[in-house]
Amino acid sequence: MSYAIHCGDCLELLPQIAPGSVDLVITSPPYNLEISYSTYQDRLPETAYLDWMVAVATELKRTLRPDGALFLNIAGSSSAPWLPFELIVRLRPLFSLQNHIAWVKSIAFEQDSRGHFKPVPGKRFLHRNHEHIFHLTPSGANQLDRLAIGVPFKDKSNIARRNHAQDLRCRGDAWFIPYETIRSKAQKFGIM
């Protein structure tokens, strides 16, 4: 089995990839949040951004095998909270939404918190502590090895009571994947 990583403008590179030849796509495209990228304008009118994403997704679908999958990581913002949902509705003619995973980046419990916290200025909005990972497939029938990323049971009586072969259960659709707080643009973009 061989693997390839392609770098470049996706709408220029994707047409060069053979139809039905890709097993898996994992992508986190620009979120249209006015991030200062070197070559991409990250502030398009919403309709233009959604049209661009549909064009990208159309090419991705063409390249995917029938049993292939696309994991699309995207977030909204306090000022544009509908964006991920608008996008996923527009992708419905292309893909089945097989799973919707909440990537929890920061969580507060009791008097403690854990994970990356990015303050939201002002008094209108709550802190956005998650992003979306949409698991899209051509048919919605892809099989998953759910225990490959399983977690041990807290209540060990569930193993025998539920006839499980091992001390693992499905992780579910809320994943807490913290990372260190980024303190500067230089740190974020690897500029030393």
Side-chain angles (χ1 to χ4, degrees), residues 5 24 46 63 104 121 150 177:
I5 296 174
L24 176 66
E46 186 171 296
T63 66
V104 178
I177 307 172

Side-chain angles (χ1 to χ4, degrees), residues 93-110:
L94 298 172
F95 294 102
S96 291
L97 176 57
Q98 188 162 326
N99 289 286
H100 176 198
I101 301 160
W103 171 15
V104 178
K105 299 169 92 173
S106 171
I107 192 163
F109 48 95
E110 297 178 0

Side-chain angles (χ1 to χ4, degrees), residues 55-72:
V56 171
T58 299
E59 276 300 305
L60 290 173
K61 175 153 189 203
R62 184 190 63 76
T63 66
L64 277 179
R65 294 169 32 124
D67 61 346
L70 164 61
F71 285 86
L72 172 64

Side-chain angles (χ1 to χ4, degrees), residues 16-158:
Q16 301 171 30
I17 297 174
S21 64
V22 174
D23 295 308
L24 176 66
V25 175
I26 302 170
T27 186
S28 180
Y31 298 168
N32 208 38
L33 299 176
E34 298 183 44
I35 305 291
S36 183
Y37 294 106
S38 60
T39 60
Y40 175 77
Q41 172 60 35
D42 194 39
R43 192 59 187 144
L44 301 172
E46 186 171 296
T47 301
Y49 174 78
L50 292 170
D51 289 345
W52 174 74
M53 285 297 300
V54 169
V56 171
T58 299
E59 276 300 305
L60 290 173
K61 175 153 189 203
R62 184 190 63 76
T63 66
L64 277 179
R65 294 169 32 124
D67 61 346
L70 164 61
F71 285 86
L72 172 64
N73 166 227
I74 193 161
S77 68
S78 297
S79 60
W82 289 104
L83 186 71
F85 306 107
E86 294 283 349
L87 175 59
I88 205 66
V89 168
R90 290 199 48 188
L91 296 183
R92 261 182 112 168
L94 298 172
F95 294 102
S96 291
L97 176 57
Q98 188 162 326
N99 289 286
H100 176 198
I101 301 160
W103 171 15
V104 178
K105 299 169 92 173
S106 171
I107 192 163
F109 48 95
E110 297 178 0
Q111 297 300 310
D112 198 5
S113 66
R114 191 163 166 217
H116 174 74
F117 177 79
K118 182 178 179 183
V120 174
K123 297 181 180 181
R124 294 176 31 204
F125 301 114
L126 298 173
H127 163 65
R128 299 190 69 79
N129 63 354
H130 77 284
E131 294 187 8
H132 306 276
I133 301 174
F134 296 117
H135 173 211
L136 302 159
T137 61
S139 68
N142 288 28
Q143 298 294 304
L144 297 174
D145 181 0
R146 299 178 323 144
L147 296 185
I149 57 167
V151 294
F153 285 99
K154 283 289 186 187
D155 180 350
K156 303 301 182 190
S157 73
N158 281 321

